[in-house]
Amino acid sequence: MANFPLLYDLIQSIDWTGLKQVDTVDDACDLFYSSLNRVIQLCVPTYRKRKFSYPPWFTSEIINNIRRKYQERRAYDQFKTMPNLVNFRELRATIKKQIKESYAAYVVEVQRNVISDPSKFWAHLNARKRKSRLPDSIKHNGQILDNPLSIVNGFSDFFASVYRHSDNSLLQHFETSIHRPTITMHTIVEDDIIQAAKKLKNKMTSGVDNIPSLSERLYT
């Protein structure tokens, strides 16, 4: 788990005076992100991706018992010892009971939070279907794309190829022939951005800038 107190302290102590010494916006952006990334690397641990994915209702105890069960089975297959077989059968029965109880509790929790946190319901549904928001693979330009990045880029290339630009002459015709009230947008000032940032929800995912909404709320 990330060390959030240290993360907040280090962000507050960053020296941003270097931003005034750069010549271009791109250089300032690079300096800004490099400073944030150094802090994140110090405070946020990284983990290797698990080889096996488990449903969200699997507790750490269930996962540990599953590993022990496989160890006991491998030991019995190799040495043919009865204690390993007995332990394997006991763990198998225990795991079935634990999964049943844990799943029932998880369903109750999802039902209770379906209104306040709908994302948990959809996560539960996707876990049952063993699906994500992206398909496993797509075929684009005669090639099979089977990793998330290539799939997203494939969708982008396809929709870009079939997109049609609007006809400006038709738009001008409507603007001159139809009388409708005009919409006036006031100038956006810094206070407007600060107020909007304070209203961001904590559970919103990061945008293209990879900055979580929680950080934006805390430092505005």
Side-chain angles (χ1 to χ4, degrees):
M1 183 176 180
N3 188 342
F4 288 104
L6 178 60
L7 177 67
Y8 301 151
D9 291 340
L10 291 178
I11 290 179
Q12 289 179 341
S13 63
I14 294 177
D15 183 9
W16 298 109
T17 56
L19 292 175
K20 299 180 180 180
Q21 301 174 359
V22 296
D23 298 327
T24 66
V25 175
D26 290 337
D27 292 337
C29 186
D30 292 339
L31 178 60
F32 174 76
Y33 280 115
S34 62
S35 301
L36 284 184
N37 287 332
R38 282 196 298 270
V39 173
I40 292 174
Q41 290 174 1
L42 289 173
C43 303
V44 181
T46 56
Y47 300 93
R48 291 184 178 179
K49 185 178 180 180
R50 290 181 175 178
K51 185 177 181 180
F52 301 100
S53 59
Y54 298 98
W57 55 87
F58 273 37
T59 63
S60 58
E61 184 180 5
I62 292 176
I63 295 174
N64 289 333
N65 284 338
I66 290 175
R67 293 171 179 169
R68 289 178 52 202
K69 184 187 73 171
Y70 286 135
Q71 291 173 357
E72 295 291 346
R73 189 187 67 178
R74 286 196 298 266
Y76 174 75
D77 292 340
Q78 184 176 359
F79 303 108
K80 302 300 181 182
T81 53
M82 288 305 298
N84 294 121
L85 180 60
V86 172
N87 291 339
F88 168 77
R89 290 175 176 175
E90 290 178 352
L91 285 169
R92 182 175 59 184
T94 299
I95 291 170
K96 287 182 180 180
K97 181 180 179 181
Q98 288 177 330
I99 291 176
K100 183 177 180 181
E101 294 175 350
S102 181
Y103 177 73
Y106 178 79
V107 170
V108 171
E109 183 70 15
V110 170
Q111 291 174 345
R112 183 164 54 243
N113 297 330
V114 68
I115 296 178
S116 60
D117 190 5
S119 61
K120 289 187 177 180
F121 169 76
W122 293 112
H124 166 70
L125 188 63
N126 289 331
R128 292 295 297 172
K129 292 182 177 180
R130 295 188 179 277
K131 292 183 178 180
S132 65
R133 296 181 180 180
L134 295 175
D136 295 332
S137 63
I138 64 172
K139 186 175 182 180
H140 178 60
N141 290 337
Q143 296 181 345
I144 302 298
L145 310 178
D146 56 2
N147 67 76
L149 180 60
S150 62
I151 290 173
V152 171
N153 289 335
F155 275 113
S156 176
D157 293 341
F158 171 76
F159 285 110
S161 66
V162 298
Y163 174 75
R164 296 180 60 185
H165 293 280
S166 59
D167 189 347
N168 292 333
S169 61
L170 183 62
L171 180 61
Q172 293 174 358
H173 170 72
F174 278 107
E175 289 179 345
T176 55
S177 62
I178 298 178
H179 299 284
R180 59 184 183 275
T182 58
I183 300 176
T184 302
M185 293 186 63
H186 297 285
T187 303
I188 298 176
V189 297
E190 183 178 354
D191 289 340
D192 296 329
I193 299 175
I194 294 175
Q195 293 301 321
K198 290 181 178 179
K199 295 179 181 179
L200 292 174
K201 297 181 179 179
N202 294 340
K203 294 182 179 180
M204 294 181 65
T205 57
S206 304
V208 294
D209 55 6
N210 292 323
I211 301 177
S213 59
L214 177 60
S215 298
E216 295 183 7
R217 287 185 56 189
L218 290 174
Y219 298 105
T220 53

